Amino acid sequence: MSQTTATMGERVPDDVVEDILAHLPVKSLIRFRCVSKSWNSIITDPTFISKHLKLNLNQSESSMSTNTQSGYLLYTTEDKDSSSSSKELCTVVCNNNRTLTQVSRFEIPSFFDKYMIVGFCNGLFCLASREKELCHIIYLWNPSIRMLKKLVATRFNRKHNESATIGFAYDSLNNDFKILRIVCNAMFNESEAEAEIYTLSSDSWRKVVVSMESLRGYEPNIGTICDVWGPFKFYNGALHALAFTVGYSFILSFDISDESFHEIMMPRNHLDLVSINFTELAVYKGSPADFVFARDHGNERGGRFLCHIWVMEKYGVSKSWTRKFVIPMEWVWIGHFFGCTNNGELLIKNATGLVSIDPESQNQNILAIEDANWVAFSANSMESLVLLDGGSFITQNVYTDSEKESEEEKKNSDVCSMDDLGSASGSGGGLGSGSSGDGDSRATS
Amino acid sequence: MALELKSSDNKIFEVEELVAVQSETIKSLVEDGCADNVIPLPNVDSKTLELVLDWCKNHVDMKLDEEKLKEYEDKFIEVDQAVLYDLLLAANYLNIKDLLNRACQKVADMLKGKTPEQIRETLNIVNDFSPEEEEEIRKENLWAFEE
């Protein structure tokens, strides 16, 4: 050791140490918790975690539009090499020459089989339970530090056809992660839709009023929201989902910072097509878009399958809805459309496999990804220390504790729950069939 | 308008105000009207101050040329450890955000692959954990110590 370096260590003041640490990757930081008690308390301190997150956000934002890559794909897949056949969460970068390079690979805790990803943001994932239809058990998962946090929302007594819809987002104005949960009653005018919001900073749930008066457009007293097709998609600073009330459908949006609901009208009669297989909201090149997958009987060959893409060219202006594309394609099952990339290519799993389809050229590219159950495009790829100061480590214990708890819940429960664990309709297990709910019951998430 | 800065080893540097106020510390002095005389900087030696002022000047000159600036920054930060630390401390003391950021990133890059033992050695930190305490942290985070 040279004399200079020995002196260096003594000279660096704590606030500079913090600045240096904020520039380190997550894996190094976890390792460096062992360096000393002082370093351990810096690294696990909420203020530092927030500082590290913000720094990473800035860096990922400035590297987003580069010459070499155009975003990332995240997907879950079976790990065929491992004997324990565990599922893995993989991230690959989409190089501009259409190749994919692996960035990271994390093992998914096995009990997540009964959960589905309802959203992810800045390295944090939100999963909601499939079996408990009203999704009152929610997990936050940070795969890069192998930690998770279990959240328990309000448990509603299921009387009629209530269903829950979840949305997960990062509120950059308030530096907070938030979860929105809406429970609706499909029986018209039976009861108001109820909503609650969870904020990581307060680690608590709080009721939010879903007030139709705050929605502009039509006369008041048109009734309550009776159904919401989730999970919510986050863009433009708000969570969006297709919602239904008496007589029409609209996009329900929730501004994540000021926590207010708004209504965005859908184009008139855009769902008046014969034989709609399913419809799903996504973002097309930064604009809200509705993707309607339907059979086309107007064709003389008969039985063609089409995807109609409606794009709201100007955000919030319902007159600007345009049916931009109608693309013929192979049959797509519900839950096998995974949104669009930055370039507007649709991510679809069809009979060929996992493909990306360019709506303008209608070209279909096969993605060099092993068989994936769930896929999503992300503009950035980042890791953070969020949950380090308040989550649980992913160990075998967490799995067994979770099982014990669900046993107890069933015994004590006065909720009419779907006890048929294995049969979340249509899907073969947890992180399986996509993020838009399972099988026929679209409204559950 | 020119300002006069005095390093710890009593060397005087004359700089344009526009260049000097990249340092938030100096900027506050100017705004408070305390910059009429020579500004003493007892925590920065002349060698380091010269480098720092070069950084500041180039950031004023190349403000509009992002690519050129990045090229300059990459070359600038390729210094040996001792100089790097001097720059780091100077940037902190003078509160020059972009230099501090860059220097921290460079130091972080040097540290990131190391083991805790190596970190302690490099930075002369005493391990105040008991063996049991340290083992507890390692056990919970085995993955971070692999590969």
Side-chain angles (χ1 to χ4, degrees):
Chain A
M1 282 312 318
S2 82
Q3 213 220 332
T4 354
T5 49
T7 330
M8 244 179 329
E10 284 146 7
R11 284 169 57 200
V12 179
D14 279 350
D15 58 339
V16 179
V17 169
E18 253 195 64
D19 283 336
I20 296 172
L21 291 179
H23 283 83
L24 281 168
V26 152
K27 189 171 179 181
S28 301
L29 284 171
I30 298 295
R31 209 165 53 237
F32 296 168
R33 286 184 59 193
C34 286
V35 168
S36 71
K37 285 188 179 168
S38 157
W39 276 42
N40 191 27
S41 44
I42 292 177
I43 292 168
T44 55
D45 183 77
T47 324
F48 174 75
I49 292 172
S50 184
K51 182 177 185 168
H52 180 267
L53 174 65
K54 275 191 242 161
L55 186 67
N56 271 279
L57 273 173
N58 287 339
Q59 286 186 338
S60 78
E61 253 159 53
S62 56
S63 71
M64 267 213 283
S65 46
T66 77
N67 298 327
T68 50
Q69 51 97 331
S70 45
Y72 299 81
L73 287 177
L74 282 67
Y75 63 95
T76 61
T77 183
E78 291 277 335
D79 177 18
K80 298 196 174 68
D81 296 328
S82 160
S83 52
S84 62
S85 113
S86 53
K87 283 222 182 73
E88 294 191 313
L89 173 74
C90 309
T91 305
V92 295
V93 59
C94 308
N95 301 312
N96 281 351
N97 61 5
R98 290 221 171 259
T99 57
L100 305 172
T101 313
Q102 182 163 289
V103 170
S104 65
R105 214 169 168 104
F106 300 113
E107 189 179 320
I108 300 173
S110 41
F111 76 93
F112 275 172
D113 272 353
K114 304 198 178 81
Y115 290 78
M116 45 175 276
I117 297 176
V118 294
F120 68 94
C121 210
N122 300 334
L124 204 61
F125 286 74
C126 180
L127 296 98
S129 165
R130 288 178 167 281
E131 45 179 283
K132 299 174 195 317
E133 265 209 9
L134 296 185
C135 309
H136 78 280
I137 305 260
I138 295 171
Y139 274 92
L140 285 177
W141 176 44
N142 184 340
S144 68
I145 57 171
R146 318 297 200 268
M147 293 196 77
L148 41 73
K149 190 181 174 78
K150 179 177 179 178
L151 309 175
V152 182
T154 312
R155 190 194 245 150
F156 293 96
N157 278 330
R158 226 176 104 83
K159 281 180 284 213
H160 303 285
N161 287 320
E162 290 96 349
S163 61
T165 315
I166 312 262
F168 176 62
Y170 177 69
D171 176 3
S172 50
L173 241 64
N174 297 307
N175 294 314
D176 205 358
F177 287 91
K178 295 182 176 175
I179 302 174
L180 173 71
R181 179 168 171 260
I182 291 192
V183 178
C184 306
N185 192 329
M187 305 287 273
F188 301 156
N189 294 325
E190 263 285 331
S191 51
E192 291 286 330
E194 298 195 49
E196 54 182 358
I197 186 168
Y198 171 87
T199 57
L200 188 58
S201 58
S202 71
D203 187 20
S204 62
W205 291 89
R206 159 172 47 93
K207 214 168 146 66
V208 190
V209 176
V210 186
S211 128
M212 286 295 263
E213 274 74 40
S214 71
L215 309 181
R216 53 176 190 276
Y218 291 66
E219 262 88 39
N221 200 31
I222 39 172
T224 64
I225 299 172
C226 46
D227 208 0
V228 181
W229 289 3
F232 285 86
K233 305 274 192 319
F234 184 62
Y235 54 91
N236 271 35
L239 289 167
H240 301 76
L242 200 57
F244 297 83
T245 182
V246 180
Y248 69 98
S249 63
F250 61 98
I251 295 182
L252 179 67
S253 83
F254 180 75
D255 185 305
I256 203 70
S257 301
D258 63 28
E259 298 179 7
S260 58
F261 284 97
H262 300 274
E263 176 184 33
I264 299 178
M265 300 312 298
M266 296 296 290
R268 283 178 76 85
N269 308 320
H270 85 295
L271 290 181
D272 279 359
L273 293 167
V274 231
S275 308
I276 293 177
N277 185 14
F278 69 97
T279 174
E280 199 164 316
L281 291 182
V283 183
Y284 176 77
K285 291 192 177 174
S287 302
D290 191 25
F291 294 75
V292 184
F293 293 84
R295 246 193 252 276
D296 171 34
H297 289 299
N299 189 306
E300 64 230 13
R301 272 177 291 163
R304 251 194 347 167
F305 190 64
L306 298 173
C307 174
H308 303 250
I309 305 181
W310 291 80
V311 180
M312 183 184 243
E313 313 257 67
K314 252 180 126 184
Y315 184 84
V317 178
S318 45
K319 285 207 181 77
S320 70
W321 278 108
T322 315
R323 180 178 7 215
K324 224 168 150 81
F325 304 101
V326 182
I327 316 172
M329 57 173 66
E330 289 173 54
W331 178 264
V332 181
W333 290 101
I334 185 172
H336 285 184
F337 167 56
F338 302 104
C340 296
T341 67
N342 262 359
N343 299 328
E345 290 178 20
L346 284 70
L347 291 170
I348 282 179
K349 188 173 181 180
N350 57 21
T352 313
L354 199 58
V355 300
S356 75
I357 301 179
D358 179 356
E360 294 187 24
S361 64
Q362 297 187 7
N363 282 340
Q364 176 173 276
N365 297 292
I366 300 177
L367 296 173
I369 286 179
E370 57 232 270
D371 190 34
N373 298 319
W374 171 88
V375 187
F377 175 83
S378 174
N380 70 12
S381 158
M382 52 174 279
E383 300 184 338
S384 75
L385 296 172
V386 178
L387 295 191
L388 181 59
D389 58 340
S392 329
F393 295 98
I394 294 176
T395 60
Q396 193 52 34
N397 289 337
V398 178
Y399 181 25
T400 44
D401 283 349
S402 175
E403 278 193 326
K404 265 190 244 142
E405 270 181 62
S406 48
E407 287 299 313
E408 268 164 34
E409 273 180 10
K410 274 193 231 126
K411 279 188 232 145
N412 303 332
S413 162
D414 56 347
V415 172
C416 165
S417 67
M418 301 267 289
D419 272 307
D420 208 3
L421 295 185
S423 71
S425 35
S427 64
L431 298 176
S433 47
S435 56
S436 61
D438 32 76
D440 309 317
S441 51
R442 293 185 193 110
T444 59
S445 54
Chain B
M1 203 205 123
L3 296 173
E4 285 185 321
L5 309 172
K6 186 165 83 169
S7 66
S8 59
D9 45 349
N10 291 319
K11 194 156 168 215
I12 309 266
F13 291 81
E14 197 175 296
V15 244
E16 289 269 333
E17 183 177 316
L18 200 59
V19 170
V21 295
Q22 304 248 335
S23 150
E24 295 283 338
T25 310
I26 295 182
K27 187 164 178 216
S28 325
L29 288 175
V30 170
E31 285 170 354
D32 291 345
C34 308
D36 293 336
N37 304 320
V38 177
I39 302 174
L41 302 174
N43 290 4
V44 191
D45 65 31
S46 56
K47 202 176 75 151
T48 311
L49 188 53
E50 191 171 341
L51 285 171
V52 170
L53 292 176
D54 189 64
W55 170 281
C56 294
K57 182 161 197 310
N58 278 287
H59 273 73
V60 170
D61 291 345
M62 294 185 209
K63 204 167 171 173
L64 300 171
D65 194 339
E66 253 190 64
E67 232 183 87
K68 209 165 162 204
L69 194 56
K70 185 170 188 308
E71 224 183 285
Y72 167 78
E73 284 187 1
D74 288 345
K75 253 199 357 228
F76 180 91
I77 211 72
E78 286 302 322
V79 289
D80 68 38
Q81 272 193 31
V83 178
L84 182 58
Y85 276 85
D86 287 334
L87 282 173
L88 185 61
L89 295 171
N92 183 51
Y93 171 66
L94 292 169
N95 201 346
I96 305 173
K97 284 200 170 59
D98 46 25
L99 178 57
L100 182 60
N101 223 21
R102 202 69 178 82
C104 283
Q105 184 66 65
K106 191 82 173 87
V107 176
D109 289 344
M110 280 164 33
L111 298 179
K112 72 181 171 196
K114 297 194 189 301
T115 65
E117 295 79 21
Q118 290 168 330
I119 296 289
R120 290 187 206 116
E121 242 188 78
T122 312
L123 299 175
N124 201 28
I125 298 174
V126 173
N127 181 7
D128 51 356
F129 276 123
S130 73
E132 295 81 29
E133 288 168 334
E134 190 179 334
E135 183 53 34
E136 179 85 32
I137 300 179
R138 274 180 196 263
K139 227 173 41 165
E140 281 172 342
N141 299 288
L142 284 174
W143 58 272
F145 294 86
E146 283 164 14
E147 170 247 54

